[in-house]
């Protein structure tokens, strides 16, 4: 018995010394069911839908408006006779009008050989079926109220310096738009961008330009130095504009300024802009047109002395300044003439700029 106990003790000692685990369990104890623990992970965050930006609204586009050159006209880089000439378009050429200047005196057209495929032509030499609904190009930049541009009121010289004694670099015409750079000390002369001048600059008399806000322009000396923007006190006011006679343009009944064809399938109206004066300068203009009807509707808008009249040859109809559209009986399929005349003046010069409108329907 002692021997068995001794053997049992030795066996237990060996098991403990070898690191084996020993489990002692009563036969009467029920085996416990294993506990199963399921690991619960924190809920995965639901991905937020990415914010897809809404597409930008499409840029509004305006369909080009078709026009026809009533005579041979220059295509310029800018809406001004001071702009570089890009080319020449023959009379009766179809044009695609895509924009206009603020005064609607110039149309921007598609012109493949021009800058960005565009160019400018004088609106008075283009006939259209109606008033082109095209955007103003340049936005506020074409508004003389901004003080950085001016609209020329009548034909005048561009000088090399701020005074009538300086050399003439060229001329500008009424309704030309020019970019302003500065002014002289009393604001009587404005410096402008002028490609034909030294360093691309020139000077014009401010009395002949519509340029509100010119007080904000820098003062520039004759030497080209910028000396500030404030007009000194004690400087005499800007002189009153002196009228210049209308330049002779050489047109006549045999050689009218323009010769326009109106038709039911083509151009149905046109506008012609010109100037006359008396007792000096060009006292008359001639405009020819042909239409397939026996009635047209004509009106004239005057700027200046309002001292002109329009006679339609062979009809006896006479229009006065600022007369609304009036029915005029003409001869169908025949060349008709509108004769624009300055009313005679024996004293002070009278200068009038006008816009003649003729339509084949009211």
């Amino acid at each position: 018995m002692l021997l068995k106990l001794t053997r049992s003790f030795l066996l237990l000692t060996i098991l403990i010394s070898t690191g084996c685990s020993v489990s002692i369990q009563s036969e009467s104890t029920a085996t416990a069911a294993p506990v199963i623990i399921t690991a619960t992970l924190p809920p995965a965050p639901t991905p937020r839908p990415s914010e897809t930006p809404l597409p930008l609204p499409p840029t509004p586009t305006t369909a080009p408006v078709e026009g026809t050159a009533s005579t041979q006209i220059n295509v310029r880089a800018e809406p001004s006779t001071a702009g570089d000439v890009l080319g020449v378009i023959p009379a009766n050429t179809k044009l695609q009008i895509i924009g206009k200047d603020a005064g609607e005196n110039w149309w921007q057209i598609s012109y493949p050989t021009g800058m960005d495929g565009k160019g400018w032509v004088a609106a008075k030499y283009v006939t259209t079926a109606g008033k082109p609904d095209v955007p103003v190009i340049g936005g506020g930049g074409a508004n003389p109220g901004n003080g950085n541009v001016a609209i020329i009121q009548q034909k005048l010289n561009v000088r090399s310096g701020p005074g009538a004694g300086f050399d003439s670099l060229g001329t500008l015409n009424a309704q030309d738009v020019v970019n302003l750079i500065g002014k002289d000390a009393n604001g009587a002369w404005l410096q402008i961008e002028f490609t034909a001048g030294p360093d691309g600059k020139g000077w014009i008399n401010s009395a002949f330009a519509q340029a509100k806000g010119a007080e904000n322009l820098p003062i520039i000396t004759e030497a080209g130095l910028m000396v500030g923007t404030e007009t000194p006190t004690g400087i005499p006011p800007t002189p009153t504009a002196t009228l210049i006679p209308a330049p002779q343009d050489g047109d006549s009944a045999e050689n009218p300024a323009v010769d326009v064809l109106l038709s039911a399938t083509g151009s149905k109206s046109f506008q012609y802009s010109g100037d006359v004066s008396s007792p000096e300068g060009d006292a008359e203009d001639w405009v020819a047109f042909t239409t397939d009807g026996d009635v047209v509707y004509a009106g004239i808008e005057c700027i200046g002395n309002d001292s002109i009249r329009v006679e339609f040859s062979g009809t006896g109809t006479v229009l006065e300044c600022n007369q609304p559209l009036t029915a005029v009986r003409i001869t169908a399929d025949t060349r008709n003439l509108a004769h624009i005349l300055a009313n005679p003046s024996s004293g002070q010069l009278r200068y009038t700029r006008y816009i003649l409108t003729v339509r084949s329907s009211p």
Side-chain angles (χ1 to χ4, degrees), residues 38-49:
T38 303
T40 304
L41 298 175
T46 303
R48 299 179 61 183

Side-chain angles (χ1 to χ4, degrees), residues 134-192:
V134 290
V136 175
I137 305 301
N143 182 358
N146 289 348
N148 63 335
V149 299
I151 299 176
I152 304 304
Q153 300 302 293
Q154 69 175 70
K155 188 170 183 176
L156 81 163
N157 287 311
V158 180
R159 303 284 180 179
S160 59
F166 288 88
D167 293 336
S168 175
L169 303 173
T171 58
L172 294 172
N173 293 318
Q175 302 304 313
D176 280 348
V177 179
V178 293
N179 292 320
L180 299 177
I181 300 173
K183 61 186 177 184
D184 69 343
N186 60 12
W189 289 80
L190 301 173
Q191 190 179 56
I192 66 169

Side-chain angles (χ1 to χ4, degrees), residues 83-96:
D84 292 334
V85 176
L86 303 177
V88 177
I89 292 179
N92 300 317
T93 301
K94 297 294 184 182
L95 310 174
Q96 294 296 313

Side-chain angles (χ1 to χ4, degrees), residues 143-350:
N143 182 358
N146 289 348
N148 63 335
V149 299
I151 299 176
I152 304 304
Q153 300 302 293
Q154 69 175 70
K155 188 170 183 176
L156 81 163
N157 287 311
V158 180
R159 303 284 180 179
S160 59
F166 288 88
D167 293 336
S168 175
L169 303 173
T171 58
L172 294 172
N173 293 318
Q175 302 304 313
D176 280 348
V177 179
V178 293
N179 292 320
L180 299 177
I181 300 173
K183 61 186 177 184
D184 69 343
N186 60 12
W189 289 80
L190 301 173
Q191 190 179 56
I192 66 169
E193 292 181 1
F194 191 67
T195 54
D199 301 323
K201 302 173 184 177
W203 290 85
I204 60 172
N205 191 325
S206 63
F208 299 97
Q210 179 190 352
K212 296 179 182 178
E215 64 274 7
N216 299 319
L217 292 169
I219 296 173
I220 299 175
T221 67
E222 293 182 14
L225 300 176
M226 188 180 299
V227 295
T229 59
E230 187 172 346
T231 302
T233 58
I235 297 297
T238 302
T240 304
T242 302
L243 293 178
I244 298 176
Q248 297 287 347
D249 50 22
D251 61 342
S252 63
E254 295 73 27
N255 183 32
V258 294
D259 197 338
V260 183
L261 174 63
L262 302 178
S263 67
T265 58
S267 298
K268 297 179 177 61
S269 67
F270 72 91
Q271 287 186 329
Y272 178 78
S273 176
D275 55 353
V276 291
S277 63
S278 177
E280 302 175 57
D282 186 17
E284 60 180 0
D285 285 336
W286 295 85
V287 173
F289 62 92
T290 303
T291 180
D292 51 9
D294 58 3
V295 175
V296 295
Y297 298 83
I300 187 164
E301 177 184 353
C302 297
I303 306 164
N305 291 120
D306 293 357
S307 183
I308 64 175
R309 67 187 187 278
V310 184
E311 298 177 353
F312 290 85
S313 301
T315 68
T317 302
V318 178
L319 302 182
E320 301 292 342
C321 266
N322 299 315
Q323 184 169 336
L325 290 177
T326 300
V328 179
R329 291 208 165 270
I330 48 108
T331 305
D333 300 318
T334 300
R335 190 194 209 198
N336 296 272
L337 290 172
H339 189 192
I340 302 98
L341 302 105
N343 291 328
S345 173
S346 58
Q348 185 178 6
L349 176 67
R350 292 185 175 182

